[in-house]
Amino acid sequence: MNDTPGWAAPGPEHSDNRDREGGEPRGAEGDDPGASPSKWSKEQPPAGRWSAPGSTGSTPSGSGDGWGGRRTRAESGGRTPPPGGGWSGDGWSAPPAAAKPGVIPLRPLGVGEILDGAVSTLRTHWRTVLGISLMIAVATQVVLILLERFVLRGSVDVAALEDPSASTDELLSAMGGALLESGLVLIVSLLGTIVATALLTMVTSRAVLGEPVSLSDAWRDARPQLPRLAGLTLLLPLIAIALVTVAMVPGVLLSLASGSDGAAALVALGALGGAFVAVWLTIRFSLASAALMLEKQGVVKAMARSAKLVRGSWWRVFGIQLLAQLLMVIVSSIILLPFSRVAAIITGESAASALDEMVVSNFGWTYLIITGIGSVIGAMLTLPIVAGVTVLLYIDQRIRREALDLELARATDARRPDGLPPSTPGS
């Protein structure tokens, strides 16, 4: 686009009009000795404005048009010069770099640039980002440790789950304890994720413009939207669970009516189909949290906004989100594994029994505290990356669909007292 900062228009109109509208041709005597106007065809430019292919001579002042000298389509090898690029005596020149006032360039982003932008936000604003992540991770782990120690201790009967001769009541009791443990852990983790997402979204959005942000600034901007973000964060998993449950209903009804083997296959098929639909909807609504926080939308409007931005780019958004989640799991596992090993050695447990303890929720204080420290460190590093990737994906989709880069560049220019383009090379 011609008005994008750092990109020159294909050519001014002030120096060419006079030659095209009439008057003495620029190739007349006195401008180029030995040449006459009659030797020029109508398709060729005036003689005084032409440089031969391979020439490194400069174009007369006032005659340049952004391409380093005018050329015919034939002399350019049949190619039309691309917008923003240029032709010089040495060949085609690359377009100027896009403005980069903050952690990303203001143009459509690649996968590597999105991940790099998330890491750059962590590196550039590490005090604020790590402060937010550390506080939330510590609070979450303290609550989880207390739950594990006083509420969930011995709530899951692994022996009943592993014993094929266990009665139905014992199996149901064990499964109920497992669901209770998983549900409480999920709720606590979701609450921590809600606050972290809200605060880190505001930090990343300001980092895109190169603006500093403190913890108090992020909290002030995010606080009004926290109830809506909580509703959105709880609603999306409920939708996924409901879809899987509804898809399994025909198989369950058939099983109750006939008890045939085909009913079990129908239940499994329904669960698989419901899971696929749930994943599709989860990715379709994956940008809703960023839209809710940055556009001050309601829950339903934020979901509709996300669906609109993801439309036509589902696989791309899915791939980037999946990559971010895989990186988070790998980094968390790498960090947590040494702490789990140390905890098992200190408490005298083998690796197998340590895994059993993790399932049974029958930890000692030493084990809980050591592994909790590892979980805090892992969450402190992974939370900003995941939240940053979501925000930058949202911004990238808006750049691709709505030319948000122009609005961001204008907003950045308005904040620069010198009036220079934001973060252009040499500025």
Side-chain angles (χ1 to χ4, degrees), residues 99-107 109 113-114 116-118 120-122 124-125 200-213 294 387-396 398-399 404-409 411-413 415 422-423:
K100 187 178 179 181
V103 295
I104 59 169
L106 301 183
R107 55 170 171 75
L109 304 174
E113 289 172 324
I114 291 176
D116 180 68
S120 297
T121 301
L122 172 60
T124 304
H125 304 281
L200 294 173
T201 296
M202 309 316 297
V203 173
T204 305
S205 64
R206 292 200 179 192
V208 169
L209 295 176
E211 296 181 356
V213 57
L294 298 178
V389 167
T390 300
V391 176
L392 294 179
L393 256 177
Y394 162 82
I395 293 175
D396 176 60
R398 288 199 61 188
I399 287 176
L404 181 65
D405 52 334
L406 303 182
E407 298 299 327
L408 294 176
T412 307
D413 284 339
R415 292 178 172 89
S423 299

Side-chain angles (χ1 to χ4, degrees), residues 152-159 161 173-175 177-179 181 359-361:
L152 303 176
R153 184 179 179 89
S155 62
V156 183
D157 187 0
V158 176
L161 293 175
S173 176
M175 292 178 62
L179 290 176
E181 176 183 355
V359 175
V360 178
S361 302

Side-chain angles (χ1 to χ4, degrees), residues 332-355:
S332 299
S333 301
I334 292 174
I335 294 174
L336 185 58
L337 182 60
F339 287 90
S340 299
R341 295 287 185 178
V342 171
I345 293 173
I346 292 177
T347 56
E349 301 287 350
S350 65
S353 61
L355 290 177

Side-chain angles (χ1 to χ4, degrees), residues 6-361:
W7 291 67
E13 301 175 355
H14 62 280
S15 60
D16 296 342
N17 294 338
R18 183 175 64 255
D19 298 325
R20 289 195 290 265
E21 291 172 359
E24 189 71 18
R26 294 292 297 272
E29 294 182 5
D31 286 340
D32 189 5
S36 65
S38 60
K39 294 181 180 180
W40 294 96
S41 67
K42 295 181 180 181
E43 289 80 10
Q44 291 173 317
R49 303 193 51 196
W50 177 262
S51 58
S55 171
T56 58
S58 60
T59 306
S61 61
S63 62
D65 61 353
W67 301 105
R70 298 176 62 88
R71 292 190 180 244
T72 62
R73 185 177 178 86
E75 291 291 340
S76 301
R79 295 175 295 181
T80 302
W87 175 273
S88 64
D90 297 329
W92 293 99
S93 62
K100 187 178 179 181
V103 295
I104 59 169
L106 301 183
R107 55 170 171 75
L109 304 174
V111 177
E113 289 172 324
I114 291 176
L115 295 174
D116 180 68
V119 175
S120 297
T121 301
L122 172 60
R123 186 174 62 249
T124 304
H125 304 281
W126 63 272
R127 289 185 180 87
T128 302
V129 171
L130 293 183
I132 292 171
S133 301
L134 179 61
M135 287 190 303
I136 294 173
V138 168
T140 302
Q141 286 302 315
V142 167
V143 174
L144 288 177
I145 288 175
L146 295 176
L147 285 175
E148 298 280 4
R149 185 62 180 174
F150 296 110
V151 178
L152 303 176
R153 184 179 179 89
S155 62
V156 183
D157 187 0
V158 176
L161 293 175
E162 295 177 349
D163 186 5
S165 62
S167 64
T168 303
D169 292 338
E170 291 175 339
L171 288 174
L172 291 177
S173 176
M175 292 178 62
L179 290 176
L180 173 64
E181 176 183 355
S182 301
L184 289 177
V185 171
L186 178 61
I187 291 174
V188 173
S189 301
L190 278 178
L191 292 176
T193 303
I194 290 168
V195 180
T197 301
L199 297 179
L200 294 173
T201 296
M202 309 316 297
V203 173
T204 305
S205 64
R206 292 200 179 192
V208 169
L209 295 176
E211 296 181 356
V213 57
S214 64
L215 177 58
S216 60
D217 294 334
W219 174 251
R220 185 180 61 252
D221 292 341
R223 183 177 57 187
Q225 292 295 100
L226 278 177
R228 294 177 178 177
L229 182 61
L232 175 67
T233 307
L234 295 175
L235 178 62
L236 294 180
L238 289 178
I239 292 176
I241 294 172
L243 284 172
V244 176
T245 303
V246 170
M248 294 171 60
V249 166
V252 172
L253 294 178
L254 180 62
S255 176
L256 294 176
S258 62
S260 62
D261 295 336
L266 184 59
V267 171
L269 183 62
L272 185 62
F276 274 117
V277 176
V279 170
W280 181 78
L281 283 179
T282 299
I283 297 302
R284 192 169 177 83
F285 297 144
S286 62
L287 305 182
S289 61
L292 184 143
M293 295 302 301
L294 298 178
E295 299 182 22
K296 310 302 180 185
Q297 300 275 12
V299 174
V300 176
K301 289 185 178 180
M303 294 171 65
R305 186 82 168 106
S306 175
K308 179 180 179 181
L309 292 174
V310 174
R311 185 183 300 121
S313 303
W314 190 94
W315 284 108
R316 180 174 183 272
V317 175
F318 170 74
I320 296 175
Q321 293 279 28
L322 179 61
L323 178 60
Q325 294 294 330
L326 288 176
L327 289 176
M328 181 186 70
V329 171
I330 292 172
V331 171
S332 299
S333 301
I334 292 174
I335 294 174
L336 185 58
L337 182 60
F339 287 90
S340 299
R341 295 287 185 178
V342 171
I345 293 173
I346 292 177
T347 56
E349 301 287 350
S350 65
S353 61
L355 290 177
D356 289 340
E357 293 291 330
M358 293 176 67
V359 175
V360 178
S361 302

